[in-house]
Amino acid sequence: MAAQNKGLSDSLDVALELRGIPWLIRKAISFATLTDRLSQRKNDNGVTVIQIAQTATGGLPGETEVYIVDGSEMTQGSGSKFGVQKIRTRWLRLANPGDANRSERPINVAGNPMDPWLLEGWSPEGTPSSPGHINVFVVNEKVGWTTEQVWGFMEIKGARRRATKFIIAKGSRTARILCVYDWLGRRE
């Protein structure tokens, strides 16, 4: 389990606004502590499946998100606060994490060069045969936003911490958000 460290994370307000979340709910989320219960397994085809069950303090309803890490598109969230989302998730190999100035940027799951900001600051993870980061691309056609994410670990304030960087875009507006998490240990 991991809890969002609000002191080390960026505010989620603009990202939630771009996703169409009403002001009152955004305000409540700003006071809540978000906790993720993560699980990882292989499905029958040997593909990694990550499930994140998110809870929030203050009586806010949580969400459970499922990510199939093979680059295929899946639809999720018909009843969620973020609406119907088309999600593509894949492993991401960063040959030299933090080297966003190299001449060839990785291509994201949508087929475009990744934004250099998403590639900066990551701890080296993985092995030559096993990438250590995850790239997620989410589209909400009804509300009109997209989000590109990179998940991994960063060295922050002297500690190795789970982090998510994401860029959300809606029309001409974009927001760059870093979420940092504190490890709470394994929970059954």
Side-chain angles (χ1 to χ4, degrees):
M1 286 183 60
Q4 183 185 13
N5 182 318
K6 291 194 174 204
L8 298 176
S9 297
D10 297 332
S11 169
L12 295 174
D13 190 66
V14 174
L16 295 170
E17 177 188 353
L18 292 174
R19 288 179 175 173
I21 303 300
W23 178 85
L24 189 57
I25 294 172
R26 293 195 320 264
K27 200 63 165 165
I29 290 171
S30 75
F31 290 110
T33 298
L34 305 175
T35 302
D36 291 348
R37 180 185 302 265
L38 291 92
S39 65
Q40 178 177 319
R41 63 178 175 82
K42 297 274 187 183
N43 67 13
D44 293 340
N45 296 323
V47 174
T48 301
V49 177
I50 297 172
Q51 180 174 305
I52 302 174
Q54 190 175 78
T55 58
T57 58
L60 294 171
E63 299 246 327
T64 297
E65 300 169 336
V66 177
Y67 299 89
I68 300 173
V69 190
D70 67 356
S72 65
E73 184 175 278
M74 60 178 285
T75 301
Q76 180 168 272
S78 60
S80 78
K81 61 181 155 265
F82 298 126
V84 175
Q85 304 169 69
K86 292 182 179 178
I87 302 171
R88 295 176 71 187
T89 307
R90 66 157 182 166
W91 288 106
L92 175 64
R93 181 180 315 284
L94 295 177
N96 296 308
D99 183 8
N101 296 318
R102 62 181 173 259
S103 60
E104 197 173 306
R105 287 185 285 166
I107 302 299
N108 66 19
V109 289
N112 302 311
M114 294 183 70
D115 186 292
W117 179 80
L118 288 170
L119 306 173
E120 298 169 347
W122 297 104
S123 296
E125 300 288 336
T127 65
S129 62
S130 175
H133 299 83
I134 293 177
N135 176 218
V136 180
F137 192 78
V138 183
V139 176
N140 181 309
E141 293 172 344
K142 183 176 181 181
V143 181
W145 57 261
T146 62
T147 300
E148 180 164 14
Q149 306 172 15
V150 174
W151 307 349
F153 291 89
M154 298 179 142
E155 185 79 19
I156 300 174
K157 299 240 183 211
R160 182 177 182 266
R161 299 176 190 268
R162 183 179 143 240
T164 299
K165 280 185 157 187
F166 64 94
I167 299 174
I168 183 167
K170 181 177 181 183
S172 63
R173 293 184 65 198
T174 62
R176 287 176 159 79
I177 309 291
L178 169 65
C179 289
V180 179
Y181 300 87
D182 293 329
W183 179 246
L184 302 177
R186 294 187 185 273
R187 301 282 200 282
E188 294 304 320

